[in-house]
Amino acid sequence: MTRVPTFIPRAPRIDARHKAVLIASDGTELEVVVTDLSNRGFRLEADQTLFIGENIMIGEQVRLRVKRYGDFPAQIRWALGCEAGGIFLEPIQNLEG
């Protein structure tokens, strides 16, 4: 069996610089900046390194709290250094950058 490289399409991303709070499943809060987003996902930066298994878990269900917009249930899909990305558990409507 051979693996065939494929492209997984995703919704267009909007550049953003929104201050937010990432709320882990245990209630721990981490200040972050959302750097880009779409109606289905986001990328964020933290001031500190995101240690997998320590302050963030791949697959963890979290809430992304964005001032002016509210809380959004999400799941972390990847993390590297001070950046992470995730998907919203429900698509976001009327998205603005």
Side-chain angles (χ1 to χ4, degrees):
M1 178 164 60
T2 61
R3 183 176 175 163
V4 178
T6 59
F7 174 74
I8 300 172
R10 68 178 192 188
R13 297 287 173 128
I14 297 171
D15 286 333
R17 297 295 301 172
H18 292 294
K19 289 184 179 181
V21 176
L22 183 69
I23 305 168
S25 57
D26 67 0
T28 302
E29 295 186 4
L30 179 66
E31 290 186 20
V32 298
V33 174
V34 176
T35 58
D36 74 40
L37 67 157
S38 73
N39 67 331
R40 296 182 180 262
F42 59 91
R43 181 179 194 148
L44 58 82
E45 290 179 352
D47 287 337
Q48 62 190 34
T49 299
L50 300 170
F51 294 104
I52 297 170
E54 194 171 307
N55 57 5
I56 198 166
M57 299 276 292
I58 305 302
E60 181 175 8
Q61 291 200 5
V62 298
R63 283 183 291 139
L64 186 62
R65 178 174 292 152
V66 183
K67 204 174 195 177
R68 298 186 340 179
Y69 299 106
D71 286 14
F72 300 94
Q75 181 185 46
I76 298 298
R77 299 304 288 265
W78 63 270
L80 182 62
C82 295
E83 296 183 310
I87 59 169
F88 295 116
L89 297 183
E90 296 180 14
I92 304 302
Q93 303 298 319
N94 302 322
L95 183 65
E96 301 174 4

